[in-house]
Amino acid sequence: FHRDVFVDLVCYRRHGHNELDDPTFTQPVMYAKIEHHLPASRAYAAKLETEGVVDAGERERMEAAIAARLQVAHRRARTPERANGALPPRGMWKGLEWAGEDWSADTRVPESTLRAIAQSAARLPGTFHPHPKVAKLLEGRIQMLEEDRIDWGCGEMLALGSLLVEGRRVRLSGQDTGRGTFSHRHAVLHDIRSGERYTPLQHLAPDQGSFEVLDTPLCEAAALGFEYGYTTADPHPLVVWEAQFGDFANVAQVYIDQFLASAESKWRRMSGITLLLPHGYEGQGPEHSSARLERFLELCADGNLQVCNLTTPAQLFHALRRQLHRGFRKPLVIASPKSLLRHRLAVSKLADFSHGAFQATLDDDTIGDPAAVSRVLLVSGKFHYTLIEAREKLSPADRRRSAVVRIEQLYPFPRTELERILSRFPAARDIRWVQEEPANMGAWRHLRHRLEEALPQGAMLGVVARQAAPTPATGYYPKHVEQENALLDQALNPGAAPGAPRGSGPRVRRSGAARAAAGRHP
């Protein structure tokens, strides 16, 4: 019509909530009228017959043909092959498959390609006047590759850029996404004189894939719902939705429950949507700290989701790239960092991008003598760096006794990888799960039984966490610091017994027989 169209649609229910419901209990007068109201299909058929378009016999044959098609479809849907979802994807999804046991992918990118991406992303038109701080940031990313110390923003840029130069499409949306809530991204630049926009990743190569960056309204349900629908219609682009803070995904919880977590089980509909949910306790208060990992983990079963709390830029790089480099699609939830974006230790070497791969667990590579380790601290995400910085303040003897092991992928749980790491420390019988969230939140209650099954024989499992609470975090910074210091003391103090704070449960000891009896938890 080449103009806006407004449709004023008036409709009614001939039945109640369903065909078995009796609406006359509560609306007897209206439904008395509906009972005698001619249905639209009959009114339209009568109009067509009056105009001579169809006759009564043809109308009946059309209705019978439609009913027959529905019956055939119904019988086909009830066959074992359909019911079990064994049929291969079709249409836009042709060539993909349902996920099997192998979730790995080759996500390496040659160093020469990565350097070229960094150079192209920093190259601006001669007539463009960037913000001085942004210009310095772009130059700094080239320097990072030369110094072999790549930070989070640069690692993300290399992930997206490498997909684009492969001809793949990338769609990035969310609140403040162009700049990044914490000013680490700057995917969209603004000329300080004219206000003109320029997106460097749209200008990497002549035959690159398209790159969309969208700043969406402060309506998380609408934004996430749309992006999820986009991924079910087209599996080929990387679609990333970023919340301003992880807590804000609360508003979109119905889409997470009803679609992201369960659509493949209910309707055999895959989705490769990626959620970036800033998460971490820096004393910013209850609405700016937690992505509510416990809620996502509670939804995890039968390989339906990926939930990660990553600690290095290279891990982010490989996690994003494998979303498109596998023959299937799965939603990915990443507890993305805030203060970690510029942490001096949260950097990766160029070789980690060109020769590495995503790792579900990361061992403690600072341990010189594994046999001297008596305590293993298991941690996920940002708090890893807090632990190792606190460990450096201990005496050399106490430092040698504690290993800090990262679980980067909380689901699917990397049991085999964790067992392999724990076997490196033959004297370690004190295993502690350490988290910055309260004991009734975070990953502890979801991981506890899985950690128990991975324990070496005779080892003891404890938890170090904030006391169980009805709110994710304190809004009083001195209290935050006090709580964090208490966590560090409980985790690293040689005299502190591994145990749970009030409200989180007792210590657990597992024997080999008990672990075997418990079985595996998918």
Side-chain angles (χ1 to χ4, degrees):
F1 296 98
H2 305 291
R3 64 172 63 184
D4 293 340
V5 175
F6 183 83
V7 177
D8 186 6
L9 183 64
V10 180
C11 54
Y12 65 95
R13 281 179 172 171
R14 179 155 292 275
H15 305 286
H17 297 298
N18 55 62
E19 287 79 359
L20 300 179
D21 183 55
D22 186 353
T24 62
F25 290 134
T26 54
Q27 295 173 303
V29 176
M30 183 173 73
Y31 272 89
K33 295 179 179 179
I34 289 175
E35 184 179 0
H36 297 95
H37 185 72
L38 186 67
S41 59
R42 294 298 180 200
Y44 186 52
K47 176 179 174 61
L48 294 178
E49 290 175 23
T50 301
E51 295 175 350
V53 177
V54 297
D55 57 29
E58 187 176 359
R59 173 182 59 78
E60 292 173 356
R61 287 191 296 272
M62 291 170 62
E63 291 176 344
I66 293 172
R69 287 175 57 195
L70 292 174
Q71 288 295 333
V72 170
H74 186 244
R75 288 193 296 270
R76 187 170 65 246
R78 293 175 67 87
T79 61
E81 293 81 7
R82 288 278 183 175
N84 296 330
L87 294 178
R90 298 184 298 174
M92 291 285 288
W93 294 78
K94 187 175 182 180
L96 296 173
E97 58 190 4
W98 302 108
E101 294 296 321
D102 184 7
W103 286 31
S104 64
D106 184 358
T107 51
R108 298 170 295 174
V109 176
E111 286 190 14
S112 58
T113 302
L114 296 173
R115 293 183 185 277
I117 291 170
Q119 291 283 349
S120 297
R123 189 180 302 120
L124 304 178
T127 57
F128 190 86
H129 306 91
H131 192 287
K133 291 183 178 179
V134 174
K136 185 177 180 180
L137 178 142
L138 297 178
E139 294 169 2
R141 286 178 177 171
I142 298 176
Q143 190 66 26
M144 287 177 191
L145 271 68
E146 298 302 320
E147 296 177 354
D148 211 15
R149 289 178 55 83
I150 299 170
D151 74 359
W152 206 274
C154 186
E156 180 192 82
M157 181 270 293
L158 293 175
L160 303 183
S162 61
L163 291 171
L164 291 169
V165 298
E166 292 171 356
R168 300 174 184 269
R169 290 174 286 140
V170 174
R171 178 182 171 89
L172 183 62
S173 71
Q175 300 150 0
D176 281 342
T177 298
R179 182 199 67 177
T181 297
F182 310 101
S183 298
H184 77 288
R185 178 174 295 126
H186 291 289
V188 179
L189 312 184
H190 300 263
D191 190 301
I192 59 174
R193 298 183 186 177
S194 66
E196 177 188 357
R197 293 159 55 98
Y198 182 77
T199 305
L201 290 183
Q202 291 176 346
H203 305 276
L204 299 178
D207 56 350
Q208 71 170 73
S210 66
F211 180 48
E212 292 182 280
V213 189
L214 306 164
D215 288 338
T216 56
L218 291 168
C219 183
E220 293 80 7
L224 178 57
F226 184 89
E227 300 303 331
Y228 170 79
Y230 195 104
T231 63
T232 62
D234 187 352
H236 300 296
L238 175 68
V239 177
V240 180
W241 177 75
E242 181 180 60
Q244 202 166 36
F245 288 88
D247 314 63
F248 297 179
N250 290 343
V251 182
Q253 192 69 40
V254 65
Y255 292 97
I256 294 166
D257 293 348
Q258 298 291 89
F259 296 95
L260 269 71
S262 57
E264 186 174 337
S265 176
K266 292 189 290 190
W267 308 306
R268 308 306 292 173
R269 296 302 302 270
M270 283 189 284
S271 167
I273 192 168
T274 297
L275 273 57
L276 298 181
L277 307 179
H279 175 89
Y281 283 55
E282 284 101 2
Q284 293 182 308
E287 266 61 71
H288 296 82
S289 298
S290 176
R292 291 291 196 173
L293 290 173
E294 64 277 1
R295 294 181 182 172
F296 289 99
L297 293 171
E298 186 179 51
L299 295 169
C300 290
D302 199 25
N304 62 331
L305 293 173
Q306 306 158 98
V307 180
C308 297
N309 195 1
L310 309 176
T311 57
T312 73
Q315 285 284 82
L316 175 71
F317 174 88
H318 292 295
L320 292 176
R321 284 181 52 78
R322 74 173 182 168
Q323 284 293 88
L324 295 189
H325 278 268
R326 294 181 296 201
F328 60 89
R329 298 291 182 262
K330 290 283 182 181
L332 169 62
V333 179
I334 296 179
S336 59
K338 296 178 290 183
S339 64
L340 211 61
L341 295 172
R342 296 173 179 83
H343 197 288
R344 62 183 180 83
L345 298 178
V347 294
S348 298
K349 295 182 177 297
L350 190 57
D352 296 334
F353 299 83
S354 60
H355 294 87
F358 180 78
Q359 300 179 67
T361 57
L362 291 175
D363 200 352
D364 191 338
D365 57 8
T366 66
I367 300 299
D369 181 11
V373 172
S374 60
R375 178 191 303 112
V376 176
L377 305 178
L378 304 176
V379 67
S380 186
K382 157 192 164 287
F383 205 62
H384 158 74
Y385 294 101
T386 308
L387 278 175
I388 61 174
E389 288 179 323
R391 185 179 61 176
E392 287 301 306
K393 300 175 182 178
L394 301 177
S395 67
D398 288 337
R399 283 203 301 271
R400 288 193 294 269
R401 294 191 184 101
S402 295
V404 182
V405 174
R406 286 167 275 180
I407 298 182
E408 300 278 290
Q409 180 174 280
L410 300 170
Y411 189 85
F413 181 69
R415 173 173 169 172
T416 301
E417 294 92 327
L418 180 59
E419 288 177 337
R420 187 185 307 119
I421 290 175
L422 293 178
S423 69
R424 277 214 318 131
F425 309 111
R429 292 296 174 263
D430 180 356
I431 314 296
R432 307 183 184 189
W433 171 258
V434 184
Q435 67 178 39
E436 53 185 346
E437 301 89 351
N440 60 320
M441 302 176 193
W444 164 242
R445 292 189 176 179
H446 173 82
L447 291 188
R448 176 175 175 171
H449 60 286
R450 292 177 167 85
L451 295 172
E452 291 169 7
E453 293 165 12
L455 290 181
Q457 186 169 1
M460 180 175 290
L461 175 66
V463 58
V464 177
R466 283 176 166 83
Q467 181 175 309
T471 185
T474 177
Y476 183 51
Y477 188 75
K479 185 67 174 178
H480 160 78
V481 173
E482 177 186 323
Q483 292 173 346
E484 187 169 277
N485 289 337
L487 292 178
L488 295 172
D489 182 65
Q490 188 179 1
L492 294 167
N493 187 341
R502 178 167 55 88
S504 63
R507 295 158 59 188
V508 179
R509 185 187 297 276
R510 301 289 282 182
S511 67
R515 287 190 291 114
R520 293 182 179 269
H521 291 264

